[in-house]
Structures are given as structure tokens and as C-alpha cells.
Amino acid sequence: MTGWLIRIVDASRQHAMAVVLAFTALTAVCTCYAAGHLGIDSDTDHMFATGLPWRQHQLAFDREFPQFDDLLVAVVRGATPEETDQAAAALATTLRADRQHFHDVTRPDADPFFRHEGLLLLDPDDLAKLLDSLMAAQPLLGPLASDPSARGLLQGVSLMAEGVRIEHADLSAYSAALRELQQVLEHAAAGQPQPLSWQSLLGSDVTRQTDNMRLLLMHPVLEANSLQPGLAATQSLEHASAALPGVRSGRVRVNYTGSVALSDVQFGALTEGIVGSTLVSLALLALWLYLALRSWRLIAPVLLTLLAGLALTLGFAALAIGTLNLISVAFAVLFVGLAVDFAIQFAVRLRDERLHQPALADALNGTTRAAGAQIAVAAVAIACGFLAFAPTAFVGVAELGLIAGVGMGLALLCTLTLLPALLWLFQPRDQQRELALPFGKTCDALLQRHRRIVLAVFAVLAVTGTVATVRMPFDANPLHTQDPDSEPMRTLRSLADNPVTNPFNIDIMATDLARARELGDRLAHLPEVASVISGATFVPAKQQAQLDQLEQAQDLLLPSLDPEGNAPPVTPAALREAVADTHDAIVRAGANLPADSPLRGIDHALQQLGNAPDARLLAMNEAVTRFLPDELASLRDALNAAPITRQNLPASIRRDWFAADGQVHLQVSPTAAAHDTAGLRRFVDAVQAIAPDAGGSAVTTITSADTIMHAFRQAAVLATLAIAVVLLIALRHLRDTGIVLLTLSMSALLTALLALLAGMAINYANIIALPLLLGVGVSFNVYFVMNWRAGMRSFVGSASARAVLFSALTTGTAFGSLALSHDRGMASMGSLLLLSLVAVLLATFVFLPALLYTVKPTSARAALT
């Protein structure tokens, strides 16, 4: 092999200009082709093979319910439920008109079905509580229905006070409502009117929400070939939200989340600060190259070779793959970090060779003879480490493995052809300077003297690393690679405690309503399940009980809600009269009122309002009645509910909860225990024990994690076998191959130990450190072992060690740029890669020399060398 490599290098030198021109043309073609054909795929679902069973289920569900894909979700919260409703309705109207940015906008809670038939969806016990609450409010409802104004409301309060005075009535059931009214009147008296929530006033704990929230589901217009395809739509949403009166007054806020927003933020983080980090990386790269090579005539060829290899790899990626995903987009950084090692090795060994052969042509051949096979073996071994991922089902890393594996081959080609040609054209001067590291000889002496102690220490570290490997946590939650402080993630966390909006639900398809009810009942009793909603939820099986309850409530409440005649106009004088009458009624009841009765606070506010200007009185009237007419109308509609059948369900509900073939959709939500990976896995296992075909985001998260782990186990075995075969072919000795693999294993165990000490968890992004660890470790170890086979006994003090150190620094610079990324997934990848690089250097510079000093070469090997 060495003879062939020498002929290739020598031919490249003899035809240097032709080689450079050919590579220039090829580089230009690849760069132009990549610019026009290499795209970015921001859909993380595409990082897994479509043939996987869980992906098949996911795709089938997406075909049945495409409305749940590519969503931008606005979350509207207001000080009162009515203000939230109004803001959500106004925002939906504005966004529907924006056809440039939105295909459609829906409000799941705003369908008229819920206004008319919503009470039938309540459990009979919960419906009874709500109706009891309305019955208790009847003294207020009658006057309000006949006079929907502050005058009518104060008349109802007066009746309550009279009831206390005459019959010693207990108003404890009204305390919450009266205190809310007290607060509204106090704000109005202070000249800061705030609307009264009639939903809260007339509702019960069954319907009262702790968080007044409404959702808007939008399908944004996505920009093609953009890293942030939904950014324009999100900006339009932010602009429309800021214009809402409630938002401007501070009583409403609008946040957003959804798969589109999360993806945009993640890919935006990839590019944020990329210019600065790239410039810093290039400056550090230039510094390491200068310290390693000390001559621009060597540095320039190395950099040009690196750029040419990168361009060729880009061209291959565009031709073979066509798109880069969230993981494979990192191939450029990884290529620079690994491919530069070949060029540095060649250039440093050339400097060393010229100490003995000053003539450049002879030195090039001598360098190839000494280091060419080592570089080739390292390149092939690294390529095998990457290509082992190509056949796995984890497409994200499989594509990276294919691109980077072929890239290593292209880097080797450039190192053996373009680099010698450039060196010949640049004609670097002969540098008569010692290349050994300043501390090299001392380290070699210490390692040789204390080799057994060093090996014993590493044996302990290996055992500890084995324990760390077993205990290393795997974080299956892809959201943990998102920026927790971004708007979509903050909003998503605020929804996580609500079972309906929890991002990790399970979807099940039942054959019919009866099967859906049966499954729902069984699943609802699981301790891991918080709630079950299905198409059967909207078609209650036993509606007659609720209809009977509503019929009784109609007899009692509807007469109060449908009064005859019209109330006289509301004037400041009429309001002052009502204020005075209510004050008098409360004063008369004073002796029977508890000290903490909210009627006392209402009376205090009324005294202030009695002396307030007319405008303040009218503002108070507007505050207490702003939402009253709609609430009274809503009560009338709800009490007149009609039986629900599958046939009379609105289209919006049928679309979300029934498939075209009649199957019924069930959505199962977890308890708070599913917030971590272990809890989520228990939730998935419990549900799948009842419904084996269950899918959805929770199942996808767990099964994708299993797919990733299986892929890496499979790739680790394939890579190890492939590297072992390459080393056996190159080294032709089992023990020497075993030394390289043993050192490689030590690097892996040290990486696990360092990662655990650093508090890191393995995730779908940083698990890529495995092939990089194999590649870098094999490369560095091969140089030392092949030098040892050639008779070298100075390891840390050799020119190879200098090349390895500065190669590691350049590689670390590339990895460091990833660690500084604003994307948490990419940053975790860079951090783990840096730790693995430290582990490789410890194994290569400390463990391997101590091991080589302990292992005595046989006479056969000595003769061979």
C-alpha cells in the first residue's frame, strides 16, 4: 500500500498545476451544485425511517387527521373569562383575514355546539352542582333579566339584605360572588372600573377555570427553503396580538407555541451568533495551525485542502441526500474537526522529514512512506465508524454517517493529491527546528518509569467508567433540547399541567362508539392517566338523566330569564337612587350581618359611588353589565339543550374525533408524573397494555428513543467490527489491533465517566459523540501504534504527538463552536464531543504509551519493522 501512496503523491507533485486546476474546477462545480440543490428539512419526524411500525402508525394518523400537523397555537389569557373570549374572537377574526400568512384559524372552544349542548357533556353529579349554583343565584337572576343593568343588580343585592333582616338568611353560599362584586364596585368607586365576570359569578367550581385560557389553532403559510418557514406568520400573529385593546390595557396577554414555532426557534438558534462563532473558530484554527506548522507556506495549503474537501463533501451531500436535517447539518463542523487532522499529520511529518531530507520532492516521498499508510488507515477507520450508521433506522444520523463517511474518503483523497500539489507550488522553506513537544521527553520518561501505576489507575477508571456507562441517563424528551426561555417553550410549559393541552398525549382509534366508551372507562382508571377524551365524550351514552335535570331547571329558571316588558333607561339619577336604596337595605340588615360579610364592603363602596360624578356612575354601570346580556342569553341557550347524536354533531367535532371510515379517536392524557422520561415510559406501557396499537406524541417520544438506542447499539457493533477488520488488514497482527481497540474502549469509558460527572444526559442530538469518538480515537491511536511497530519508543516526544495535539486543538475548536451554539441540542452535542476529545487525549497520551511500554514487541515484529 505504501508504494501506491508514494506513486500517487509523486504524480500529484509532478503535475501540481494540473491537479490544482482540476480540483479548483471540481470545487466550483460542487459548490454551485450544492448552493442550488442542498436544502434544509426542519421536520424532525423525517429523521426516522418511514418503515418503522410506530412511524407507520404516526403517518396513518396524520393522514386521517392532518389538521393536527404544522400548527401555530396562540394561547389567549385574560383577567376574566369574558375578556378572554372577546380577545380570542377578535384575534381569530383578524388572522382569518390575513390570507398571506394563514391558511386557516380555528377556535376549538367556540363552536355553537358547546353553547347549546355543552351542559349535556357534564357528569350528572357535576351538572347538579352547576344547576344548584344557578338556583342559588335566582334572587339575582330575576331582577337582572328584567333590568340588565347596575340598577337591576343592586335591586337583587337589596333583596338579599332584606332576606338577612327579615328571615336571618344565610348568605355564605353567595360569599364568593358578593366579594367579586365588592371588588368591582370598589374599583369603580376609585375611578378604575373593571368588568364583572358573570361567568364566574353565576358558575360553580365545576365550570370555573383556574386559568382563563382560550386556544387558537392556525395553519400558517410556510416559506419554502427557509430555516424558519413559519417566522413571517408568527410575526404577523405578534403584530395582531399587540393591537388588541385588552393587550394594550394589560388585561389580556397572548402567547404562542406549536410545532411550527418550536421548529422555527430551534433552527433560528442554530444560526444565531453563527458569524461570530465562525470567525472566532477560524481565528483559533489559524492560531493552532501556526503553532503547529510555523509557516504560511504550510498553513495555506492545509487550509485550501480543507476547503476543497468540504466543497466536495457538500456536493456529494446535495447529490446523494438533497436535504440536511437538524443533526446532519452539523457535518461541516465535524468534517473540519476531523479532516484537518490528516493534513496536519502530513504537514508536520513533512517538517520532520526535511530535517533529514531537505529536498522537498524527496521529503514528500519520505513523508508518504512514513505517514501515508497511517493517515490512510485512520481515514478508512473513521469512515467505517461513520458509515456504520448508514443502515440504521435513525435517518438523521444515518444521513450524517453517509455524508461524513464519504467525506473522510474525500478528505483522504485531497490529502494525498491536492495537498502535495499545493505544497510543491508553495515551496515551503526548510525549517531546522525541533518538532518534539517541549514536555514530550519528560512525559515519556515518567510514563515508562511508572507505567504499572498508570495502568492500575486507568483500570480503576475503567471500572468506574463502566458503572457510569450503565447509569448514564437517556433523556427521551426532545423538548429538553429546546431553549427553555423561548416564547414557545414558556407557553408550552404553562400548558403542560392541563391534561387537555399536555404535549405528551396518546392517540387511540376505536372501531365504534361502544368500543371507545369501553376503552375510555378502562383507561380512565389507570393511575398513570389524568383524563380520556374521545368522540364518545361528545355523544354521552346516558343523556336522559341530564335532560331530565335540565327540564326541571327550565321550569324554575327560564321564567326568571324571560321577563316581560322593557326596563326604563339607565340614567345617573336612577343609579343614584338604586345606590341609595341598596345602602339603606344593607344598613337595615346591619345588626344581622356577620362582621366579615361582603355586604359591608359593598355598602362602603356604594357610599363612595353615591357621591361620585355622573360619569363614574355610568362607568360603574358599564363595568357590571358589559358581559351580562350575553351571559343571560347563554344560560337560556344552555337550558334548552337538545339530545346529541353522532349525526347531529357539528363538522368541526366530527373532523377531530371521527375518522372517515367511522373509527373513533381517543386522546389519553398523562398525570404530572409523566414529565420525566421514566414517568412517560410508565404511562405509555400502561396504556399500551390495554391498547397495543396506541400512538401519539407520548408513544412517539418513547419509541423514537428506543429506535435511537437500537440504532446506536447496532452501529457501535458494526463500527467496531469494521474498524477491527480494517486494523487487522493494515496491522496484520491480532495483538496490535487489540491494543488500538482497548485504547478506544478506554476512551469510551472515560467519556461516560466525564459526562456523568458533568451531570450530562444522553439525548438524540449528543449521542452522535459515539461515531466521533470512534473516529478520533482510532485516528490518534493508529499513529502511535504504527510508530511503535516501526521501532519508535518516544511517543509523547515525537512529531506525531505534536501533530496529534494540534489536530486535537483544531478539532476541539470545531467542537467548541458547537458547544457555544444557542441551540441546546447542538450545544449538548458540542459539550459531549469536547468531553470525548479530552477522554481520547488522556487515553492516547497517557494510557496508550504506558501500555506500549509494558508490551514488548516480538522479534518477528522487530524484524518486520
Side-chain angles (χ1 to χ4, degrees):
M1 179 173 66
T2 301
W4 280 100
L5 296 178
I6 291 173
R7 282 191 285 273
I8 291 172
V9 170
D10 197 50
S12 300
R13 176 191 61 80
Q14 293 176 19
H15 305 89
M17 186 56 70
V19 170
V20 171
L21 291 175
F23 268 96
T24 301
L26 191 57
T27 297
V29 169
C30 288
T31 303
C32 292
Y33 185 82
H37 295 82
L38 188 60
I40 300 291
D41 184 359
S42 60
D43 191 339
T44 54
D45 289 338
H46 295 167
M47 291 199 298
F48 298 93
T50 56
L52 291 166
W54 63 268
R55 278 286 285 145
Q56 289 287 312
H57 184 283
Q58 181 186 36
L59 294 171
F61 185 84
D62 290 346
R63 285 191 296 268
E64 288 289 352
F65 303 100
Q67 65 269 29
F68 299 137
D69 287 340
D70 296 329
L71 281 175
L72 181 63
V73 180
V75 181
V76 184
R77 293 183 174 93
T80 64
E82 293 90 341
E83 288 175 281
T84 305
D85 280 330
Q86 283 193 350
L91 182 59
T93 300
T94 301
L95 297 179
R96 287 191 186 109
D98 185 3
R99 305 300 297 175
Q100 179 183 354
H101 295 111
F102 299 98
H103 293 295
D104 56 68
V105 180
T106 59
R107 285 186 59 201
D109 63 288
D111 195 291
F113 168 82
F114 295 106
R115 181 182 177 106
H116 291 277
E117 273 73 54
L119 293 183
L120 292 179
L121 305 182
L122 294 175
D123 180 88
D125 292 337
D126 290 338
L127 179 58
K129 291 180 182 178
L130 176 60
L131 294 177
D132 288 344
S133 176
L134 292 174
M135 296 294 184
Q138 195 171 14
L140 283 177
L141 290 176
L144 284 171
S146 59
D147 185 3
S149 67
R151 180 177 54 201
L153 174 62
L154 292 176
Q155 181 185 350
V157 175
S158 297
L159 290 175
M160 289 183 176
E162 287 297 310
V164 172
R165 183 179 68 84
I166 298 172
E167 301 179 2
H168 300 279
D170 182 8
L171 299 184
S172 57
Y174 302 94
S175 291
L178 290 174
R179 291 194 188 282
E180 190 166 346
L181 175 60
Q182 175 188 342
Q183 292 176 3
V184 171
L185 294 176
E186 287 173 347
H187 282 291
Q192 301 171 341
Q194 295 181 0
L196 178 64
S197 172
W198 287 95
Q199 285 188 34
S200 300
L201 203 69
L202 299 178
S204 72
D205 56 353
V206 175
T207 58
R208 191 173 292 115
Q209 298 182 23
T210 56
D211 185 8
N212 297 318
M213 178 185 70
R214 301 292 184 268
L215 300 180
L216 274 70
L217 308 182
M218 296 156 278
H219 287 102
V221 176
L222 302 179
E223 298 181 19
N225 300 319
S226 172
L227 277 176
Q228 296 175 284
L231 181 60
T234 301
Q235 291 172 338
S236 177
L237 167 62
E238 291 178 313
H239 179 74
S241 301
L244 293 173
V247 172
R248 292 202 303 268
S249 67
R251 293 187 59 81
V252 174
R253 72 180 190 274
V254 180
N255 305 105
Y256 63 88
T257 186
S259 59
V260 171
L262 288 166
S263 177
D264 283 349
V265 167
Q266 188 159 34
F267 273 86
L270 287 173
T271 58
E272 185 179 354
I274 193 171
V275 175
S277 63
T278 300
L279 292 176
V280 172
S281 297
L282 289 176
L284 288 174
L285 181 63
L287 174 63
W288 305 139
L289 289 175
Y290 172 75
L291 293 176
L293 304 176
R294 300 285 185 173
S295 170
W296 72 269
R297 294 176 184 271
L298 288 173
I299 295 172
V302 168
L303 289 176
L304 291 173
T305 301
L306 188 63
L307 293 175
L310 181 59
L312 295 180
T313 307
L314 276 170
F316 170 77
L319 181 64
I321 306 297
T323 56
L324 299 176
N325 57 58
L326 190 60
I327 292 179
S328 62
V329 74
F331 89 92
V333 175
L334 304 180
F335 178 89
V336 170
L338 294 172
V340 73
D341 172 61
F342 307 151
I344 289 178
Q345 280 289 337
F346 194 94
V348 170
R349 298 293 282 274
L350 176 65
R351 285 186 60 193
D352 186 53
E353 190 67 27
R354 295 193 74 182
L355 295 175
H356 312 288
Q357 300 187 75
L360 183 58
D362 295 336
L364 284 171
N365 290 338
T367 299
T368 308
R369 183 177 295 105
Q374 298 179 12
I375 294 173
V377 171
V380 172
I382 294 174
C384 287
F386 278 117
L387 292 174
F389 285 85
T392 66
F394 188 16
V395 176
V397 173
E399 291 179 353
L400 174 64
L402 180 61
I403 296 171
V406 173
M408 292 301 99
L410 294 173
L412 177 63
L413 174 66
C414 292
T415 302
L416 296 177
T417 55
L418 179 59
L419 181 58
L422 289 170
L423 289 169
W424 182 254
L425 293 177
F426 275 83
Q427 288 291 312
R429 295 188 178 92
D430 182 17
Q431 301 178 56
Q432 298 296 326
R433 182 180 297 180
E434 179 63 39
L435 292 179
L437 295 171
F439 52 83
K441 291 182 179 179
T442 303
C443 288
D444 281 325
L446 289 173
L447 289 171
Q448 186 172 18
R449 186 179 309 117
H450 304 292
R451 56 188 181 276
R452 286 185 172 80
I453 296 176
V454 171
L455 293 177
V457 170
F458 272 91
V460 174
L461 292 175
V463 173
T464 310
T466 302
V467 175
T469 302
V470 174
R471 297 181 59 185
M472 179 67 66
F474 183 85
D475 187 355
N477 191 339
L479 296 177
H480 290 169
T481 62
Q482 294 269 2
D483 179 5
D485 296 321
S486 67
E487 170 75 2
M489 275 303 298
R490 287 199 307 268
T491 305
L492 191 64
R493 285 201 307 274
S494 73
L495 301 175
D497 292 333
N498 186 333
V500 178
T501 55
N502 189 293
F504 294 110
N505 293 313
I506 288 180
D507 297 307
I508 303 171
M509 301 304 296
T511 53
D512 52 36
L513 284 172
R515 176 61 176 162
R517 292 188 180 102
E518 178 196 349
L519 278 175
D521 290 342
R522 293 176 63 190
L523 293 168
H525 288 88
L526 293 175
E528 296 84 4
V529 171
S531 69
V532 180
I533 302 175
S534 73
T537 303
F538 304 97
V539 188
K542 300 177 181 178
Q543 301 177 41
Q544 194 56 49
Q546 289 97 319
L547 288 169
D548 291 342
Q549 288 175 289
L550 289 177
E551 185 178 358
Q552 295 174 11
Q554 289 172 12
D555 296 337
L556 296 172
L557 292 174
L558 282 182
S560 300
L561 297 175
D562 291 314
E564 297 180 358
N566 295 318
V570 177
T571 63
L575 290 173
R576 291 185 193 281
E577 182 180 353
V579 166
D581 290 344
T582 304
H583 166 67
D584 291 342
I586 295 174
V587 169
R588 288 193 297 270
N592 296 331
L593 288 175
D596 61 346
S597 172
L599 286 180
R600 297 185 184 276
I602 289 174
D603 181 47
H604 179 72
L606 291 177
Q607 292 179 50
Q608 293 178 296
L609 284 167
N611 299 319
D614 290 352
R616 188 167 296 184
L617 276 174
L618 292 173
M620 179 272 292
N621 181 70
E622 167 64 19
V624 299
T625 62
R626 175 178 168 185
F627 302 122
L628 177 59
D630 186 68
E631 183 62 21
L632 294 176
S634 177
L635 277 176
R636 286 191 289 267
D637 291 340
L639 290 173
N640 284 298
I644 305 172
T645 65
R646 179 168 176 173
Q647 288 68 35
N648 66 14
L649 281 174
S652 61
I653 292 179
R654 291 199 306 271
R655 183 178 64 249
D656 289 349
W657 296 99
F658 295 91
D661 61 359
Q663 292 190 88
V664 184
H665 172 204
L666 291 87
Q667 178 180 290
V668 188
S669 301
T671 62
H675 285 181
D676 58 29
T677 300
L680 190 62
R681 184 175 292 278
R682 287 192 296 271
F683 169 59
V684 170
D685 290 343
V687 172
Q688 287 191 326
I690 295 175
D693 294 332
S697 56
V699 176
T700 298
T701 299
I702 295 301
T703 51
S704 63
D706 293 341
T707 298
I708 292 171
M709 293 305 295
H710 175 74
F712 274 83
R713 292 190 190 100
Q714 175 187 349
V717 173
L718 290 176
T720 303
L721 290 175
I723 290 172
V725 170
V726 170
L727 293 175
L728 280 172
I729 293 174
L731 302 179
R732 300 180 183 180
H733 199 283
L734 187 61
R735 187 173 66 176
D736 295 351
T737 300
I739 290 174
V740 175
L741 294 178
L742 179 61
T743 309
L744 193 61
S745 300
M746 181 62 69
S747 301
L749 296 175
L750 289 176
T751 299
L753 178 58
L754 292 174
L756 191 65
L757 292 175
M760 297 185 67
I762 300 297
N763 57 50
Y764 81 93
N766 65 26
I767 199 170
I768 194 179
L770 173 61
L772 271 296
L773 171 67
L774 294 174
V776 176
V778 166
S779 175
F780 292 173
N781 298 339
V782 162
Y783 299 143
F784 275 39
V785 171
M786 293 188 77
N787 285 339
W788 173 69
R789 284 166 53 91
M792 183 181 294
R793 296 297 175 266
S794 177
F795 303 111
V796 184
S798 66
S800 289
R802 180 186 185 89
V804 165
L805 177 61
F806 284 101
S807 175
L809 289 173
T810 55
T811 302
T813 300
F815 294 168
S817 67
L818 293 178
L820 296 176
S821 172
H822 291 270
D823 176 65
R824 286 168 61 90
M826 201 64 69
S828 70
M829 180 195 299
S831 299
L832 190 56
L833 288 172
L834 282 174
L835 289 179
S836 68
L837 185 61
V838 171
V840 166
L841 288 177
L842 285 173
T844 302
F845 277 84
V846 183
F847 172 74
L848 182 56
L851 181 61
L852 294 177
Y853 283 130
T854 303
V855 178
K856 302 299 182 181
T858 63
S859 57
R861 188 183 301 110
L864 179 64
T865 59

